[in-house]
Amino acid sequence: MIECPTDRTRNVTYLEAAPEQVWWSIATTEGTNTYLTYSSSTTGDPSLPKAGDVYTLNYGDIENQSVVVESVPNRRFVLSDAYQSLAPDGKAEIFYVNTAFTLEESDGFVKLSLQVQGFAEDTYGQWLRECLEMGWRRSLMNLKSVLELGLDLRTELFSYPRLGVTNCTVNPEQSRETGVSVGGGNYLLEVFPNSPAQKAGLRAHDVILGIGGRRTAVYSDFVRVISSYSGKKGPVSVTFSRSGKRHETTVLLSVEEQFTGLNKESLSLEEIKHRRELIAKSRSASGAIWTGTENDMKTAAESGEDGAAGAQ
């Protein structure tokens, strides 16, 4: 990560493309669909964004109502974002930040700097900052692939296995609570019902210290280690701290597409929300969210039946 004040993140990439191509990709609705969004629309001219235009950008289980703050073609594009994010049970939460793209020509390349600013100075602000920093890192890698190779790799980049947790790097408040040093592990804000993490015995407020024998000191370490298990099967060891004591467990990571955030079926956010609410309702007796099979989840979502469909 590029060092920044805690209210912002910054990513930089160099693209072997003309400034006009990069601008089209980041600032037009048609362009964003090539590397980032599954659908997008604007209240203004789709090919000529201007201040005051409102974009609706769908990233799968996240939708952004974004207002254009500044638009200087081939130079700078600034958005005021309102991200609506869906949890596995369909509950929605909105987060507000500003996103600025800056383009500079540099020896035949375009240097693209992306800064996201406005994160709250609390634990959930930290969680959002860490999530978006890594999310944009992957998306900018995909932009480079699309512009330079013609390959849209978003499925490959975002289809890494999941534990079923909400986590962030241990901060001073959590360090006092857990006894784990700041930046010494990943604090679990939430463990979803029937997720791989819960099945392995993990709970909210535990701190994951390592996965598969590799240290996960900070959020980016956690994502890199989890991502390394893409395409692999079998149990994975997890080292964690609880109440000041060190423990070991094993977990079967989930690869269910329902919770990767991808939107291969081109569903609207409301359709995704409705599907997840039906899944959660159908498993209300056991509290289960995860099942272990994607087909079970689709059946539950399509039928809307109550009972133990897919519960384990």
Side-chain angles (χ1 to χ4, degrees):
M1 292 177 62
I2 297 174
E3 291 296 326
C4 290
T6 57
D7 72 333
R8 70 195 67 183
T9 65
R10 189 164 178 258
N11 278 291
V12 176
T13 189
Y14 286 82
L15 303 164
E16 192 173 4
E20 294 79 10
Q21 289 179 291
V22 178
W23 173 261
W24 176 82
S25 298
I26 65 169
T28 72
T29 53
E30 186 179 1
T32 63
N33 288 338
T34 65
Y35 83 100
L36 178 64
T37 53
Y38 289 96
S39 64
S40 57
S41 62
T42 177
T43 59
D45 184 338
S47 61
L48 190 64
K50 64 181 185 302
D53 290 348
V54 179
Y55 281 48
T56 300
L57 306 169
N58 177 270
Y59 313 108
D61 60 1
I62 298 174
E63 191 161 275
N64 184 6
Q65 292 289 326
S66 196
V67 180
V68 178
V69 175
E70 183 180 354
S71 180
V72 182
N74 307 328
R75 296 287 301 278
R76 186 166 166 83
F77 190 56
V78 182
L79 299 167
S80 176
D81 300 310
Y83 286 100
Q84 182 179 184
S85 178
L86 295 183
D89 61 0
K91 293 178 181 176
E93 195 163 0
I94 299 178
F95 302 95
Y96 300 94
V97 291
N98 290 329
T99 303
F101 300 85
T102 303
L103 289 69
E104 303 173 65
E105 293 187 67
S106 177
D107 297 325
F109 290 82
V110 172
K111 177 184 177 183
L112 177 61
S113 301
L114 185 150
Q115 179 169 280
V116 183
Q117 187 172 355
F119 299 106
E121 295 287 339
D122 57 23
T123 293
Y124 275 89
Q126 174 192 336
W127 164 75
L128 181 64
R129 173 167 53 85
E130 293 181 324
C131 288
L132 280 183
E133 197 279 339
M134 291 300 288
W136 271 117
R137 182 176 296 186
R138 291 176 189 268
S139 294
L140 291 180
M141 286 181 179
N142 194 42
L143 175 60
K144 186 175 181 69
S145 177
V146 168
L147 288 177
E148 298 183 8
L149 303 176
L151 293 174
D152 181 357
L153 298 176
R154 80 183 82 178
T155 297
E156 290 77 7
L157 285 166
F158 285 94
S159 291
Y160 56 91
R162 300 304 202 269
L163 260 178
V165 299
T166 299
N167 58 291
C168 66
T169 305
V170 171
N171 61 31
E173 178 184 347
Q174 295 156 0
S175 179
R176 290 189 293 271
E177 174 193 339
T178 64
V180 177
S181 62
V182 174
N186 272 260
Y187 181 85
L188 300 186
L189 297 163
E190 187 172 5
V191 174
F192 293 110
N194 208 37
S195 65
Q198 189 190 61
K199 289 179 180 179
L202 292 166
R203 307 173 191 164
H205 311 302
D206 288 346
V207 177
I208 293 182
L209 306 173
I211 299 174
R214 297 165 62 185
R215 191 165 177 249
T216 53
V218 296
Y219 181 86
S220 57
D221 292 339
F222 182 94
V223 173
R224 280 192 288 267
V225 174
I226 285 287
S227 298
S228 72
Y229 287 96
S230 292
K232 299 178 183 178
K233 296 182 179 180
V236 178
S237 64
V238 174
T239 305
F240 66 99
S241 176
R242 176 184 295 162
S243 302
K245 296 182 179 179
R246 191 181 181 95
H247 301 271
E248 298 280 342
T249 188
T250 57
V251 61
L252 287 170
L253 299 174
S254 171
V255 292
E256 295 178 14
E257 289 188 3
Q258 179 74 17
F259 302 112
T260 60
L262 300 174
N263 189 5
K264 296 179 181 179
E265 299 175 80
S266 299
L267 301 174
S268 70
L269 191 70
E270 280 303 310
E271 288 172 322
I272 296 172
K273 184 176 187 295
H274 182 60
R275 170 177 286 187
R276 292 189 178 183
E277 287 172 340
L278 287 176
I279 292 169
K281 181 181 178 182
S282 72
R283 298 173 190 160
S284 59
S286 65
I289 300 283
W290 262 258
T291 71
T293 64
E294 181 183 353
N295 288 335
D296 286 346
M297 287 187 293
K298 286 184 177 179
T299 300
E302 290 165 1
S303 67
E305 296 177 354
D306 291 330
Q312 296 183 12

